[in-house]
Amino acid sequence: MGSYIPASAQETSELLDAVGIASLDDLYRQVPPEARIDKLDLPSGMSELEALAHLEDLADKDVRFRDVYRGAGAYRHYIPAIVKTVTSKEEFLTAYTPYQAEISQGVLQSIFEYQTQMCELTGMDVSNASVYDGATAAAEGLLMCLDRKRGTVVVSATAHPHVIETVRTYCASRNVPVTVVPAGDGLATDPAAIAAALDATVAAVYVQSPNRYGVIEDVAAIADAAHAAGAKLVQGFNPISLGILKTPREYGADVAVGEGQPLGLPLGFGGPYLGIMCATKDLMRKLPGRIVGETADAQGRRAYVLTLQAREQHIRREKASSNICSNEALCAMTASVYLAAMGDAGLRRAAELSYAHAHYLADRLGELGFALVSPKPFFHEFVTTVPGDAAAIEQALAGKGILCGLPIDEGMLWCATELNSKARIDALIDALKEVGLS
Amino acid sequence: MKLLFERSTPGHAHTILPELDVDMPALPEGAARGQRPHLPELAEIELGRHYTELAKQTHGVNDGFYPLGSCTMKYNPRVNEQAAALAGFADIHPLQPACTVQGALGVMAETADALAEICGMDAVTLQPAAGAHGEYTGLLLIRAYHLERGDTARTKIIVPDSAHGTNPASAVMAGFTVVSVPSNAQGGVDLDALRAAVGPDTAGLMLTNPNTLGLFDPNILEICRIVHEAGGLCYYDGANLNAVMGHARPGDMGFDCVHVNLHKTFSTPHGGGGPGSGPVGCKAFLSRYLPGPIVRKGEQGYELFKPEKSVGRVRSFHGNFLVVVRALTYITMLGAEGLPEASAHAVLNANYLMKRLEGSWFVPYGELCMHEFVIDVAPLKAETGVSAMDVAKRMLDFGIHPPTMYFPLIVHEALMVEPTETESKAELDAFIEIMDRIWQEAHEDGARLHEAPLACAIGRPDEVGAARNPHLRYEFGDLS
């Protein structure tokens, strides 16, 4: 059996003697006998070698694709080598939340740097230290806009389905009505339809751009509609896209939320990921979760601390802006290291390569009869028709180490990043020709 | 320490991505970004040294004793990291066909089954990303249960005054109002107060057992019975599960649902505040409300399904999967005997510390504690002026992360000490010596301790100033 307890039998008996009990079992004498158990019905423990072999056996049952053309909320990008080197440092990996600022300046400063980078990326004024993922960021982003007079929200159906589902869950429990406005032409949000859904009860509108189909939305028009009705605009964004695309601030968003996974986090079967939340200055005190601020010690030395804690659950309890406590700190640090390694030029290159590869991919797929479903501009994802049986295509390509686009109701949702080079896309097209399409 | 942005030099860079290999189509009109982001320009060595410097100013579990009450800062095994880094886990897409992720689904199924057994529950979701997220999810199950029965009057959640702050905050997020019940003289739930609080409006009770004073409530069966007889359900906050693994199970105590913190009890690292993972277990009658999808064994192997009356997703995809991999590695290694042994030693270590310290320090509750105990510094403060804050800050000078301060709220000068099972007798003895020394210092020159820490990179930061005049990002000014 495995153990991480640094105690010899001799030491254990010394501890028992000092406590004044005869056996470890005596420690549980306060527990009513009806609530005691003799034994867990689990396999026996094992050595490190055996345990790792068991996990390796499981990992070997998963298919790791050489080429991934699937995004839909989880994107495979290149992760610079230094990212993992930094985030595996034991100090960063194992530290608790930095409540003791005097011995936590390293992690506090890294969060301050992260907040700065998120503000720069989105153009917004303030950022928190992260929430769980993009979907909970969207839900919290809408809830923070509620006030006494405005208690409903409007969401465009072109948002990621998991975002919509999570928003519905979070809003249902607070009795906040959610209106989901169906997509208009070309898999895009119709600003007029959003405007038509607004009234004096609506606190905020959520739109995601690029949307779940990859389409670049007319966010400015949607922001104008929201603001004209006295509502806030919460925009979902893809952080890589902001290397070349307009920022939420430039569109007029009041709150910007995003799934931070593309910034250096592996696909990891869906988590842990990173919920990015930024807002305008006016909404600073409504942001949920931890926030780091700069201050000084008595000698005037620069110092960083967790701040504005009057918003948080451990101070405010039932009056807190959210219940969030643990967040995704190490994932935020990952994003920060990623952006520092890439720099503006590197981020821009990642965005350009993703954009250019996706458009090249769309052209080449078009040659084989996978026609674009929407004429609207897209970033690095797009939907095509499927000239054949989607499941059969998926299976045949899987045999060649390729994960194709995601079959969805509207067709097939493809994605390309800097990893899908011209040569690999050409190989995909050859593979598609080989497997046939029906 | 310089900020990333203060280390930046125009022209420094790290070559990561290749040149464009296809044409770059023009961006649609009006879609291009205007203002470029200020991101630092750094060579890789500059980046590496920056973070090495930050790491030196960060106290991790391997930097010294970390007796942070209710946080279970146990050792984070290396093999967990190795397992989570396996490409078959780290590089698979969450929307791959089920037949290509049988290993990952197997990880989820094995972990869920093990947690169900450890907690005495029937079904488990791994979707919640942290403890508070798990609380919220568990309360949604309770809400759904009452609503489906048409029992719309059950709007109140009872929370003891010793509870974690997340409990009342989660209850409000789940649409409930909070009723606080006081603790009795022994630090447990006051049964009379509980009987007075329950009624037809009771949706449920949230309880940590052992509680935040480190005490196992001997009335636990009666507590759950009172709530159930009033028509409410019982929620177990698993923050303190490390005390009882393999010795007592929430399900056998009478609880209907529970969350566990993989980043506490199951040895996954805290990452400076996250990511954690807060799986939720429940009895069979609540399983139809669980967030979907969850894993089950089908004819073609493992498959994902959504329970029929699911409360809906609480986040995207399947939860913090790579954290789950780490926890499964730990559970696999310790197994049926190792988990109870870990808990017993966590409790033994806490009792040893408590016995050795209570000669001079005041421990208000319990002759026998569980995995943690609370010191009340109030008598020392009355005598010397030295507060819990002063004691905690002085510990920093000795390379020790202080206990949780000023919590639970019912002990005003609280230091909540949780040593965990992964500390040796020598470590515990060293801590006792330091506590003795601080005790002496308090009596000899208490005023000096108001200045502590005396040997850290910074002194106590001005937190009031930080909140009054929030400075939440680096300002680049006109030059950049």
Side-chain angles (χ1 to χ4, degrees), chain B residues 12-84:
Chain B
H12 288 206
H14 177 24
T15 321
I16 295 168
L17 297 183
E19 303 288 327
L20 284 162
D21 54 352
V22 294
D23 287 340
M24 173 72 193
L27 288 176
E29 203 186 320
R33 178 172 185 131
Q35 173 82 37
R36 297 306 307 171
H38 292 102
L39 293 175
E41 296 181 70
L42 298 164
E44 192 175 29
I45 183 172
E46 297 169 309
L47 202 52
R49 285 191 178 150
H50 176 72
Y51 285 105
T52 295
E53 194 181 346
L54 292 193
K56 286 177 185 164
Q57 294 301 325
T58 301
H59 184 98
V61 168
N62 294 353
D63 289 294
F65 192 37
Y66 219 125
L68 191 61
S70 270
C71 299
T72 313
M73 297 301 288
K74 64 170 73 175
Y75 177 67
N76 307 134
R78 299 294 90 188
V79 67
N80 295 357
E81 301 307 309
Q82 211 163 316

Side-chain angles (χ1 to χ4, degrees), chain A residues 59-65 398, chain B residues 88 91-92 96 99-102:
Chain A
D60 286 345
K61 288 184 187 153
D62 293 332
V63 178
R64 185 191 175 203
F65 291 97
Chain B
D91 196 30
I92 50 171
Q96 283 185 207
C99 62
T100 67
V101 288
Q102 285 296 300

Side-chain angles (χ1 to χ4, degrees), chain B residues 118-119 121 131 134-135 138-139 142 167 205-211 216 220 224 233-245 248-251 253-261 265 279-281 371:
Chain B
I118 292 164
C119 295
M121 293 288 153
E135 291 174 17
L139 291 169
I142 292 176
N167 287 183
L205 165 81
M206 293 182 88
L207 198 68
T208 314
N209 189 35
N211 66 17
F216 192 97
I220 190 62
C224 289
L233 299 183
C234 296
Y235 180 89
Y236 181 91
D237 175 340
N240 293 344
L241 186 68
N242 203 49
V244 295
M245 282 189 295
R249 308 191 301 177
M253 298 174 205
F255 289 93
D256 304 293
C257 56
V258 48
H259 87 263
V260 301
N261 299 77
T265 317
V280 166
H371 66 307

